[in-house]
Amino acid sequence: MKKIFALFFAGLVSTAALAEDAPDALVQRVTEEVLEIIRHDKDIQNGSTNKVIDLVDKKVLPHFNFQHMTALALGKEWRKATPQQQQQLTAEFKTLLVRTYSNALTSYKNQKVVYKPLKMAPSDTDVLVRTEIHQPGNKPVQLDYSLEKQDSGWKVYDVVVAGISLVTNYRDQFGQEVRNGGIDGLIASIAAKNKSLEANQKK
Amino acid sequence: MTKSLGLSPMRMGRQWALGALLVLACAGNALAEENQRDPYEGFNRSMFAVNEAIDKYAAKPVAQVYDAAVPLPVKAGVGNFFGNVGDLWIGVNSALQGKFADAGVDVGRLLINSTLGIFGLFDVASELGLEKHEEDFGQTLAVWGVQDGGYLFWPFIGPRTVRDTAGFGVDSFVDPVWRVQPVPVRNSMVPLRFVDVRASLLPADKIVEEAALDKYAYIRDAYLQRRRNQIFDGRPPRLDD
């Protein structure tokens, strides 16, 4: 009986997760939640890196697939890496991306986000959700998210600002590091970069 | 981030001629590990270093002072003014690319902003729903089928492909700001626009510094991706990975 109940409960949860959010609704919900918090948080507005990373960690990162992002950034070398290297690389790349781009959120000032209508077939498992950041006196900035459908819901695997993919923009830099020092060399240089960013922040 | 990476408008005819000679000189000693999109990497990296120094000791400090000292409405007015001046040429390029509806919007923007927007100081047209486009002659050449010819990095004007360097030459040649009379007015408008563009890029500086493993490569790849996006008006076809 307990087992049946557990099964039933698990089924309920997973259908809830599946029915949860369409990709565009997910992007909109998370964006608005995060902006609402920033609007009321003086520390973040004053540039508190730790606080904004905390926020991103809690609200945004559960909807990201960093393994896919890292594989995309590395390109064909990804398959040659051992599982352990893949894991280390993903962890370091995640730290770098989160730190650098979370900081951009601290400069948020009343810009308005416009959500573009999503063209999507029910069977699609890979979609592009388009948004635009509007600010007075400036041309709107395109901000797009690539999402893929997974068992745990839709996950973002690329963010594209004004046509620049924050992920594939690393392709050549990663390739260069791998040519010079292999996958381990690449992991070491990202780790070193993360260390120096952290040290600068403490000052 | 809204304004272009390195679209800093400056006409540097003589430097270009010199630069072109240097390119030819460097083209001979191609690197062993050659990047197809960056065949002149050696030359580019040295120009990048030159530009970094100019930026560090001149352009950036001036832009920072401007950004801190000038009140926001004035900065917005300056940006709008130069934006308005540019809308005519943007309209011409829209038309040259066969986008006549866009060209109509561009000319409409110019008319509205020059009148209701008081000589372009206010971007009334955007508030009326006439969205600003991003066009230039380099994009027109691309739409006409001209290949980009490889990546180049120039002092002052920053990243440009060979095609976009030519496009920029044409853009500068027809640029009304360079024809303003009297000359002293022109001579203050040209640097003002340069400083305005540089100041608008200040927020992006920190991100690039923090995010890049190799700043040169990061800027190059961002420029090439962004140009591709502009050429396809924000809807580039997907690249296979």
Side-chain angles (χ1 to χ4, degrees):
Chain A
M1 186 62 193
K2 237 185 203 167
K3 249 185 203 163
I4 294 174
F5 190 74
L7 259 174
F8 174 73
F9 189 65
L12 204 72
V13 171
S14 64
T15 42
L18 283 180
E20 199 180 63
D21 270 327
D24 51 342
L26 176 73
V27 167
Q28 182 161 359
R29 179 171 64 78
V30 174
T31 307
E32 292 302 326
E33 268 177 34
V34 167
L35 294 185
E36 189 57 28
I37 292 170
I38 295 175
R39 277 186 210 113
H40 293 106
D41 194 320
K42 286 274 171 305
D43 293 341
I44 292 181
Q45 287 164 23
N46 292 330
S48 161
T49 303
N50 286 332
K51 231 175 154 187
V52 78
I53 287 182
D54 246 23
L55 170 67
V56 168
D57 214 37
K58 229 186 297 162
K59 293 280 179 188
V60 182
L61 298 195
H63 307 289
F64 275 63
N65 179 354
F66 278 100
Q67 174 129 353
H68 188 169
M69 284 178 136
T70 312
L72 195 59
L74 188 54
K76 58 181 188 307
E77 299 286 332
W78 176 257
R79 264 165 278 145
K80 295 183 203 155
T82 66
Q84 203 204 349
Q85 283 176 322
Q86 291 182 349
Q87 209 182 347
Q88 284 176 328
L89 184 60
T90 302
E92 294 296 347
F93 190 42
K94 176 179 174 180
T95 307
L96 179 66
L97 285 178
V98 170
R99 176 172 297 274
T100 49
Y101 295 108
S102 297
N103 268 333
L105 279 176
T106 58
S107 56
Y108 172 77
K109 289 199 189 62
N110 294 321
Q111 289 90 341
K112 216 178 98 209
V113 183
V114 174
Y115 304 90
K116 300 270 170 177
L118 175 68
K119 278 178 228 144
M120 177 190 163
S123 58
D124 282 352
T125 55
D126 189 337
V127 296
L128 185 66
V129 174
R130 297 174 169 278
T131 72
E132 267 179 10
I133 314 297
H134 287 247
Q135 42 188 353
N138 272 311
K139 202 188 164 312
V141 182
Q142 246 181 292
L143 181 54
D144 303 334
Y145 303 86
S146 291
L147 293 98
E148 59 178 343
K149 196 175 190 173
Q150 293 201 320
D151 295 341
S152 50
W154 288 89
K155 302 285 172 197
V156 174
Y157 68 87
D158 196 4
V159 179
V160 185
V161 185
I164 305 164
S165 155
L166 301 185
V167 174
T168 59
N169 210 55
Y170 280 98
R171 180 75 55 89
D172 280 347
Q173 292 169 80
F174 277 20
Q176 206 175 298
E177 295 287 343
V178 171
R179 275 196 300 279
N180 293 338
I183 304 274
D184 287 331
L186 172 63
I187 294 170
S189 9
I190 306 178
K193 175 96 195 170
N194 286 332
K195 279 228 177 68
S196 79
L197 289 174
E198 200 180 348
N200 279 335
Q201 187 206 317
K202 279 184 186 141
K203 267 179 219 163
Chain B
M1 286 285 285
T2 54
K3 284 179 191 167
S4 359
L5 273 173
L7 279 188
S8 20
M10 265 222 160
R11 189 162 52 173
M12 293 271 148
R14 255 174 303 174
Q15 277 86 341
W16 281 16
L18 183 68
L21 282 176
L22 278 168
V23 169
L24 291 177
C26 296
N29 48 45
L31 296 162
E33 204 73 66
E34 196 178 276
N35 182 334
Q36 281 187 345
R37 298 179 307 166
D38 193 2
Y40 314 112
E41 187 169 347
F43 166 78
N44 288 341
R45 281 196 188 261
S46 33
M47 288 302 111
F48 182 75
V50 169
N51 197 59
E52 287 282 282
I54 295 169
D55 191 61
K56 185 176 171 195
Y57 294 109
K60 190 171 175 179
V62 173
Q64 280 168 328
V65 169
Y66 173 84
D67 191 51
V70 179
L72 192 60
V74 177
K75 276 187 284 187
V78 169
N80 286 338
F81 176 82
F82 289 118
N84 186 51
V85 171
D87 269 339
L88 180 62
W89 183 236
I90 288 175
V92 170
N93 279 290
S94 291
L96 289 174
Q97 294 170 35
K99 295 180 284 197
F100 298 107
D102 282 5
V105 170
D106 299 328
V107 174
R109 284 180 51 84
L110 179 74
L111 294 176
I112 290 170
N113 283 341
S114 303
T115 53
L116 293 176
I118 313 175
F119 305 115
L121 292 177
F122 300 93
D123 186 359
V124 188
S126 283
E127 274 152 48
L128 294 175
L130 295 179
E131 208 169 276
K132 189 169 177 69
H133 297 121
E134 271 183 325
E135 299 294 353
D136 53 66
F137 198 66
Q139 290 183 57
T140 299
L141 289 175
V143 170
W144 289 352
V146 178
Q147 297 300 306
D148 72 22
Y151 177 77
L152 293 171
F153 194 99
W154 301 106
F156 295 103
I157 67 167
R160 291 281 188 289
T161 60
V162 171
R163 176 190 64 218
D164 292 336
T165 303
F168 181 72
V170 175
D171 292 340
S172 306
F173 184 73
V174 300
D175 183 357
V177 175
W178 280 97
R179 289 163 196 263
V180 168
Q181 293 291 339
V183 170
V185 176
R186 182 197 76 190
N187 285 349
S188 39
M189 281 172 96
V190 171
L192 174 63
R193 182 170 60 179
F194 181 83
V195 171
D196 170 59
V197 172
R198 183 64 189 85
S200 74
L201 292 169
L202 288 173
D205 280 0
K206 194 171 171 245
I207 293 184
V208 174
E209 290 291 347
E210 291 192 355
L213 296 178
D214 171 5
K215 191 176 173 187
Y216 168 81
Y218 192 92
I219 289 177
R220 175 193 63 207
D221 295 343
Y223 175 79
L224 293 174
Q225 285 199 63
R226 192 177 146 279
R227 276 309 271 180
R228 188 164 177 273
N229 190 58
Q230 286 178 330
I231 290 161
F232 287 102
D233 294 321
R235 307 264 159 157
R238 223 178 150 144
L239 289 172
D240 285 326
D241 291 298

